[in-house]
Amino acid sequence: MIKKHSRNLIMICLVFTIGMLLCSVKAYADPQNTIPVPKINLSVDNAKTPTEYVDNIKLIIMLTLLTFLPSIIVTMTCFTRIIVVFSFLRSAIGTQQAPPNQVMIGLAIFLTIFVMSPTFNAINQNALQPYMNGKITQDAAIEAGSKPLREFMLKQTRQKDLKLFVEAAKLGNNYTKDNVPLYVVIPAFVISELKTAFTIGFLLFIPFIIIDLVVSSILMSMGMFMLPPAMISLPFKLLLFVMVDGWYLLVRSLIVSFH
């Protein structure tokens, strides 16, 4: 009997799928139901002058570099510190999937936009808008746009980390905050951000570890060896975090740390 119902269900699903496919084919075959798709042509064949040829090549290179945009956002903004601190917070409390990764990443992205908004505005005013209006060249726009970003990263970079990569790159002493290359600033900035994030994570762990120690001591004194201490301490951790308004304190501390 069960096999008969299963066979009938499969036949109904098969007939329904075939019907949907036939309707789709009919809709695509009807010229009135077709959706016009704009034609996009990106080539260098139509260039009439060497300048246009070079500009088209630069455009293709720029579109290729856009694929590295996620890496740029992660390594050249405050996103690294924020997301690492959020990960430490979740580990300290002991919640494995709360809040979910999507929520943490989304909050970290919007906090990154909030913190980096002065830098983004400076890039827009000094580089992007003048370049779009034809007032400066592409090289000048890149130089003007990288300056605010370089200043932001250098403010958060330890001199020890910057000196490490300057010596490894053999730049000597002929460098300043205005001319130090970005390939030297970026890795120094990343390891400085990781150190700061780990420091904040260590401070986050202290109150929750105290709760774990107290709960473990009480359970051992009562002889409840088979009861996991994490199961008992988790509600107290959540209660502590809610009572002190933990999200407000944590986000406020992260924002202040960049100023």
Side-chain angles (χ1 to χ4, degrees):
M1 190 68 178
I2 298 176
K3 293 182 178 180
K4 184 178 180 181
H5 285 293
S6 302
R7 191 180 299 109
N8 293 336
L9 182 60
I10 293 174
M11 292 298 296
I12 293 172
C13 294
L14 183 60
V15 171
F16 179 76
T17 304
I18 295 174
M20 291 296 294
L21 291 175
L22 291 176
C23 292
S24 300
V25 171
K26 182 178 180 181
Y28 280 110
D30 190 359
Q32 297 180 355
N33 294 329
T34 57
I35 300 175
V37 179
K39 295 182 179 180
I40 300 175
N41 185 15
L42 182 62
S43 64
V44 295
D45 297 335
N46 298 325
K48 299 179 181 179
T49 62
T51 303
E52 293 180 357
Y53 184 83
V54 173
D55 292 339
N56 291 336
I57 293 295
K58 289 182 178 179
L59 179 60
I60 295 174
I61 295 175
M62 184 174 296
L63 293 176
T64 304
L65 292 177
L66 287 178
T67 57
F68 297 96
L69 185 60
S71 300
I72 293 173
I73 294 176
V74 171
T75 57
M76 299 177 66
T77 63
C78 58
F79 180 84
T80 301
R81 182 188 304 185
I82 295 173
I83 196 63
V84 172
V85 170
F86 284 170
S87 300
F88 275 121
L89 173 65
R90 191 167 64 178
S91 299
I93 296 178
T95 55
Q96 298 180 355
Q97 297 295 332
N101 292 331
Q102 294 84 352
V103 176
M104 294 178 60
I105 294 175
L107 179 59
I109 290 175
F110 281 102
L111 285 177
T112 301
I113 295 174
F114 178 81
V115 174
M116 298 293 297
S117 58
T119 304
F120 292 156
N121 291 334
I123 295 174
N124 183 43
Q125 294 176 2
N126 301 331
L128 184 59
Q129 292 300 327
Y131 176 72
M132 297 297 292
N133 296 329
K135 296 180 180 179
I136 59 176
T137 61
Q138 183 177 359
D139 295 335
I142 294 175
E143 182 63 27
S146 61
K147 186 176 180 180
L149 197 58
R150 183 189 292 112
E151 291 178 354
F152 170 81
M153 289 190 292
L154 288 176
K155 287 181 180 179
Q156 311 299 328
T157 304
R158 298 185 305 164
Q159 293 297 325
K160 181 179 180 181
D161 297 331
L162 182 62
K163 184 179 179 181
L164 168 65
F165 289 97
V166 168
E167 292 178 352
K170 298 180 181 180
L171 297 180
N173 297 324
N174 298 324
Y175 74 93
T176 60
K177 293 183 178 181
D178 296 328
N179 60 11
V180 59
L182 284 178
Y183 70 87
V184 174
V185 178
I186 294 174
F189 169 74
V190 171
I191 63 174
S192 297
E193 287 292 281
L194 289 176
K195 177 180 173 56
T196 305
F198 274 63
T199 303
I200 299 175
F202 170 76
L203 297 176
L204 283 174
F205 264 94
I206 293 177
F208 299 113
I209 287 179
I210 294 175
I211 295 177
D212 286 332
L213 291 175
V214 172
V215 171
S216 300
S217 300
I218 294 175
L219 291 178
M220 290 183 64
S221 63
M222 296 177 64
M224 297 181 179
F225 300 101
M226 300 302 294
L227 186 62
M231 183 182 300
I232 305 301
S233 62
L234 179 59
F236 293 99
K237 291 179 182 180
L238 295 176
L239 179 63
L240 173 64
F241 191 73
V242 172
M243 289 183 62
V244 300
D245 201 357
W247 285 111
Y248 169 81
L249 294 176
L250 180 62
V251 172
R252 180 178 179 274
S253 301
L254 285 172
I255 294 174
V256 172
S257 66
F258 290 102
H259 298 286

